[in-house]
């Protein structure tokens, strides 16, 4: 059976200070220009210790997960929570795909 059709097809996870104004916005615009709906956290406001229901739903309904692994990605508890949710969804249903992008690799390709 197909994955649930949600608001987004791709979920971008990134550490804002590291990559928001580089690869995250570039990738979001690239996907949008090709008609692919991608979630990018524009308000970056988190409350409490748990992923909120709307964020969890966006992860669960996305087909592709793209964590952008920057130098400080693992220093963010929210990035790690998003990544844990992505892995949980992929383990539950192998049709979810995780394509990680090491930020240093992308940055070196641009130079």
């Amino acid at each position: 059976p197909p994955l649930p059709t949600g608001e987004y097809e791709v979920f971008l996870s990134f550490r804002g200070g590291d990559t928001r104004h580089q690869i995250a916005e570039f990738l979001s615009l690239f996907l949008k220009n090709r008609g692919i709906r991608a979630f990018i956290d524009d308000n970056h406001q988190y409350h409490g210790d748990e992923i909120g229901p709307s964020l969890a739903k966006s992860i669960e309904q996305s087909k592709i997960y793209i964590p952008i692994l920057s130098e400080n990605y693992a220093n963010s508890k929210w990035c790690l929570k998003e990544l844990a949710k992505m892995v949980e969804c992929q383990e539950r249903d192998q049709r979810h795909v995780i394509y990680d992008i090491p930020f240093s690799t992308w940055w070196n390709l641009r130079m």
Side-chain angles (χ1 to χ4, degrees):
L3 288 169
T5 302
E7 189 174 346
Y8 304 103
E9 297 166 305
V10 175
F11 185 91
L12 299 175
S13 175
F14 58 94
R15 180 72 189 253
D18 290 350
T19 62
R20 178 178 302 280
H21 300 295
Q22 294 94 13
I23 189 173
E25 288 179 347
F26 170 81
L27 186 54
S28 175
L29 184 59
F30 177 85
L31 294 168
K32 180 180 178 183
N33 286 339
R34 278 145 186 83
I36 299 169
R37 298 167 307 199
F39 175 89
I40 184 168
D41 179 24
D42 289 328
N43 62 12
H44 48 276
Q45 294 187 12
Y46 301 103
H47 303 288
D49 289 331
E50 298 300 318
I51 291 178
S54 63
L55 186 60
K57 183 177 178 182
S58 295
I59 294 171
E60 290 168 0
Q61 292 185 345
S62 294
K63 297 170 181 75
I64 298 171
Y65 308 123
I66 303 178
I68 301 169
L69 305 176
S70 62
E71 182 177 338
N72 294 306
Y73 185 89
N75 293 335
S76 166
K77 71 177 183 177
W78 289 104
C79 289
L80 295 178
K81 287 175 188 238
E82 290 173 1
L83 186 58
K85 184 68 174 175
M86 290 179 228
V87 170
E88 173 190 316
C89 290
Q90 185 184 44
E91 287 176 346
R92 191 172 52 238
D93 187 335
Q94 294 295 307
R95 293 173 297 167
H96 292 277
V97 180
I98 300 173
Y99 293 110
D100 62 287
I101 298 176
F103 179 67
S104 60
T105 301
W106 180 85
W107 188 252
N108 289 334
L109 290 173
R110 291 196 28 138
M111 301 307 272

